[in-house]
Amino acid sequence: MRIVAAAFAALLAGSALTAGAGPAAAQERARGLLDPPPMDDSPGMRVYAASCAECHSGQRTVRAPGLTTLGTMTPRAVLSSLEAGRMRRHGEDLTADERRAVAEWLTGETLVETRLPPSAFCTSAPRADGVVHWSGWGGGGGETGFADAALAGLTAADLPNLELAWAFGFPDVGQVRSKPAVIDDRIIVGSAYGEVYSIDLESGCVHWVFEGDAAVRGAIAIGVGPDGGQSAFFADFATNVYAIDATSGALHWRAAAGTHADHVVTGSVAVHEERVFVPLSSMEVTSAGDPAYECCTSSGGVAAFSVETGEPLWEFRTVAEEPRHTGENEAGTRLFAPSGAPVWSSPTVDAARGLLYIGTGENYTRPATGGSDAITALDMETGEARWTFQGREDDAFNMSCLSPRFQNCPAPAGPDHDFGMAPIIVTAEDGSQLLIAGQKSGMVWALDPDAEGEPAWARRVGRGSALGGIHWGLASDGRRAYVPNVDNPFAVISDPRSGASTQMNAEDPPTPGVYALELAGGEVLWHAPPDPSVCADRAGCMPFFSAAPTAIEGAVLAGSLDGHLRAFSTEDGSVLWDIDTAREFETVNGVPGRGGALDGPGPVVARGYVLVNSGYDLFGQMPGNLLLAYRLPR
């Protein structure tokens, strides 16, 4: 059996292994109350020793968690990772019995699949169609993450009075990352194993469940469907694209976006008029951790489909040149280049200019290309690139660079400074527009969309790292840009051959927190630092702001890896509201519920509700399985 390299680390910790809280034993481990699994001679232990231990031998790192961290997952999440998630290529080396055995041994639980009880379902059907209060990653309209008072139904003054309306528990998961759409009296949200739920906004009961094939990680987008009514559009991790009826959950069509064996979809689709735009990333970044893997041949990209039929319309490759054989690694495995530049995040529609903006990641191999770590503008009609702005040149990295055997690591290794977020189109009070994007380097870039992406200004808010810098996104109310900076000190990459940091500014002190920048020139107006004391006695707690924020009138809401959702005044950064979600909750659907780290999508504010995901066990963070709904007292 081939030994799996460093990939197993981040991958077991981040597969279709998405969402929420799991069995009691896993939750005890999450709180540091249980030891790692025993080193016995069980079948699961033997699989672990032969295929996993090289990269998970005890000391937890950001990319390669140890046994205690892996034990916070559920067996269904581990198995899903090996069969259909980020570890699927390595899971192919194991038999079905071996995959199940290692999943049960790591987690200390018997594999089960929880089904919702009948009491979780509504007794009445939702209304047909309705007003869309939130759709897609950033809410539509430039994806700014801003909800005005009419759509939000809340202002800053209401926040201190909010109370929990209901908590919904996703079964068998440790991570929640799909962002809900809101249509009048209901929401539509995806889950770790492909289920898409329609949930009543008032009560939290379930109207219907659609069964997809793999994890739905991105936001649900609402648009006019093939029958003229409202449809929900989304993609799963296996690159299947779906259009379903937003009222009944019936399938209209399904298509496949991926053209490479390692293509996946981690971002959200965007819908505009007759087109659905699907971002394509690639798990070759992790497959490369295996010295026997011929690294690398995939390209990131975007695929466009017909709203009406699901017919493919065009595909854009971020690496235009076909890969060619460039040599062999020390194990004698052939190497290929160029490759990489994945599109991890969501495309942003600029209807006025007929453009689609995407952010790209690093190259996987050398030579590097001009389309990596970049913002690219595409023609929505043809998929042709109009212009590209590159935030960092010469960034090549893959998971082999974090492996004890780094034969596939490009020399020299890059810092992994992607644009991991969706660019936002900001219209200032004077009517001028900027395209603003944050990078994992800690840089915020404001580009001129009418001057082929020329920088209008740039501002560094942190030293950056492989996990951010600016990780998942930022928001703007048209007055300021609100920027969460992670500056995770554990995620600075060093070249495995020299031990030297790959970051130009790695010696700078971390400066995490939430920043407000003025739009004219990017000056820092205020900085709200994290509160490290929250993590004093909380296992897996990290006092960093990584998730995308959401802005309403007078406040910006930002989730933290410490489990807290905080609302800051847009005027001075003072804390207006602070809710700790990293605890146990009684759920409306009968699934044991516990919150954890807040990461990934920002909260949705719509119709007087604040909807927030709680739980994100990737990279050793606190697991959880909840969607929480807050509103004013009734």
Side-chain angles (χ1 to χ4, degrees):
M1 184 187 304
R2 194 169 71 209
I3 293 181
V4 176
F8 197 95
L11 301 200
L12 250 193
S15 64
L17 84 111
T18 49
Q27 291 305 298
E28 294 291 285
R29 286 194 195 96
R31 296 194 292 273
L33 301 179
L34 291 184
D35 294 327
M39 296 298 173
D40 51 27
D41 193 38
S42 65
M45 169 61 197
R46 292 196 295 270
V47 173
Y48 174 83
S51 300
C52 318
E54 181 177 355
C55 300
H56 297 270
S57 56
Q59 280 246 282
R60 180 183 71 83
T61 68
V62 169
R63 297 292 181 102
L67 285 173
T68 300
T69 301
L70 294 176
T72 66
M73 296 167 57
T74 67
R76 186 181 175 194
V78 176
L79 186 65
S80 178
S81 176
L82 290 167
E83 292 184 341
R86 296 178 67 180
M87 279 300 294
R88 65 189 182 197
R89 181 175 290 278
H90 303 287
E92 292 171 358
D93 296 333
L94 306 175
T95 67
D97 287 343
E98 288 172 332
R99 290 192 294 266
R100 180 178 183 126
V102 75
E104 293 184 337
W105 179 79
L106 281 168
T107 60
E109 294 286 330
T110 302
L111 179 68
V112 295
E113 182 174 341
T114 304
R115 292 292 180 180
L116 298 184
S119 60
F121 290 85
C122 305
T123 57
S124 59
R127 295 194 299 267
D129 292 349
V131 177
V132 178
H133 293 262
W134 191 281
S135 172
W137 178 256
E143 306 303 321
T144 60
F146 174 69
D148 63 23
L151 289 176
L154 289 172
T155 64
D158 295 316
L159 294 173
N161 299 316
L162 298 183
E163 63 181 18
L164 183 69
W166 48 262
F168 182 89
F170 294 92
D172 307 324
V173 295
Q175 182 185 133
V176 186
R177 62 188 291 172
S178 177
K179 191 165 188 171
V182 180
I183 310 172
D184 272 352
D185 60 343
R186 66 193 186 278
I187 68 175
I188 302 177
V189 64
S191 73
Y193 305 114
E195 299 96 343
V196 174
Y197 298 88
S198 175
I199 300 174
D200 187 82
L201 185 61
E202 178 77 15
S203 67
C205 67
V206 177
H207 289 293
W208 49 257
V209 181
F210 174 86
E211 300 279 349
D213 287 352
V216 178
R217 297 186 163 206
I220 306 296
I222 306 299
V224 177
D227 60 355
Q230 287 177 332
S231 286
F233 298 89
F234 55 93
D236 68 21
F237 190 73
T239 80
N240 299 303
V241 188
Y242 304 86
I244 65 175
D245 186 281
T247 301
S248 67
L251 178 68
H252 289 309
W253 55 257
R254 167 181 155 166
T259 55
H260 187 278
D262 273 327
H263 270 158
V264 294
V265 176
T266 54
S268 308
V269 306
V271 180
H272 180 66
E273 294 181 347
E274 71 275 12
R275 288 178 172 81
V276 182
F277 303 103
V278 183
L280 290 170
S281 52
S282 162
M283 291 320 300
E284 272 198 309
V285 68
T286 52
S287 299
D290 185 345
Y293 180 75
E294 293 187 343
C295 175
C296 284
T297 57
S298 68
S299 167
V302 179
F305 295 85
S306 164
V307 161
E308 182 73 22
T309 64
E311 175 188 2
L313 301 176
W314 53 255
E315 180 185 356
F316 170 78
R317 288 170 50 94
T318 58
V319 179
E321 184 180 347
E322 291 293 331
R324 62 187 185 278
H325 178 212
T326 58
E328 285 76 33
N329 66 17
E330 293 178 4
T333 306
R334 295 192 305 167
L335 300 177
F336 294 84
S339 64
V343 183
W344 297 109
S345 59
S346 310
T348 298
V349 170
D350 186 344
R353 296 177 180 86
L355 298 179
L356 188 75
Y357 303 118
I358 58 171
T360 69
E362 80 286 1
N363 290 115
Y364 296 159
T365 46
R366 294 190 181 279
T369 66
S372 62
D373 289 3
I375 302 297
T376 293
L378 306 179
D379 186 301
M380 284 197 291
E381 293 285 334
T382 65
E384 295 178 357
R386 293 274 193 89
W387 55 257
T388 293
F389 166 79
Q390 190 169 35
R392 182 188 173 100
E393 299 177 350
D394 202 38
D395 184 8
F397 167 84
N398 63 57
M399 286 298 294
S400 179
C401 301
L402 300 180
S403 168
R405 299 179 298 165
F406 49 85
Q407 286 93 327
N408 284 341
C409 179
D416 188 17
H417 280 173
D418 308 26
F419 282 98
M421 62 159 285
I424 69 173
I425 305 168
V426 176
T427 302
E429 292 174 320
D430 63 1
S432 62
Q433 286 193 323
L434 292 171
L435 182 67
I436 302 181
Q439 193 173 356
K440 286 161 57 179
S441 61
M443 292 294 297
V444 181
W445 303 93
L447 310 180
D448 186 343
D450 293 318
E452 297 191 330
E454 285 294 316
W457 53 260
R459 178 66 54 194
R460 179 178 293 282
V461 297
R463 69 174 186 174
S465 73
L467 294 179
I470 298 94
H471 200 185
W472 287 91
L474 48 85
S476 178
D477 55 9
R479 299 174 62 238
R480 301 177 175 91
Y482 305 102
V483 184
N485 173 46
V486 186
D487 267 5
N488 188 329
F490 307 112
V492 175
I493 293 171
S494 297
D495 190 292
R497 290 159 288 258
S498 65
S501 172
T502 62
Q503 260 175 276
M504 294 176 60
N505 54 321
E507 299 304 316
D508 294 342
T511 55
V514 178
Y515 290 76
L517 308 183
E518 57 94 18
L519 294 181
E523 294 298 321
V524 176
L525 299 176
W526 52 258
H527 168 219
D531 179 6
S533 68
V534 172
C535 291
D537 58 353
R538 184 169 280 184
C541 183
M542 303 177 187
F544 308 126
F545 292 93
S546 173
T550 299
I552 63 173
E553 293 185 9
V556 56
L557 288 78
S560 170
L561 301 184
D562 63 15
H564 284 248
L565 175 63
R566 298 177 178 89
F568 300 94
S569 165
T570 56
E571 293 302 318
D572 58 13
S574 59
V575 177
L576 305 175
W577 185 51
D578 185 349
I579 293 293
D580 182 7
T581 72
R583 61 178 182 84
E584 294 180 354
F585 286 80
E586 182 178 352
T587 67
V588 293
N589 60 326
V591 173
R594 182 176 180 83
L598 304 186
D599 206 358
V604 170
V605 186
R607 293 206 68 196
Y609 285 79
V610 175
L611 304 169
V612 61
N613 296 339
S614 183
Y616 200 89
D617 61 0
L618 189 55
F619 309 125
Q621 297 160 191
M622 295 185 293
N625 70 326
L626 294 173
L627 175 64
L628 302 172
Y630 293 91
R631 68 185 177 204
L632 290 171
R634 295 294 172 86

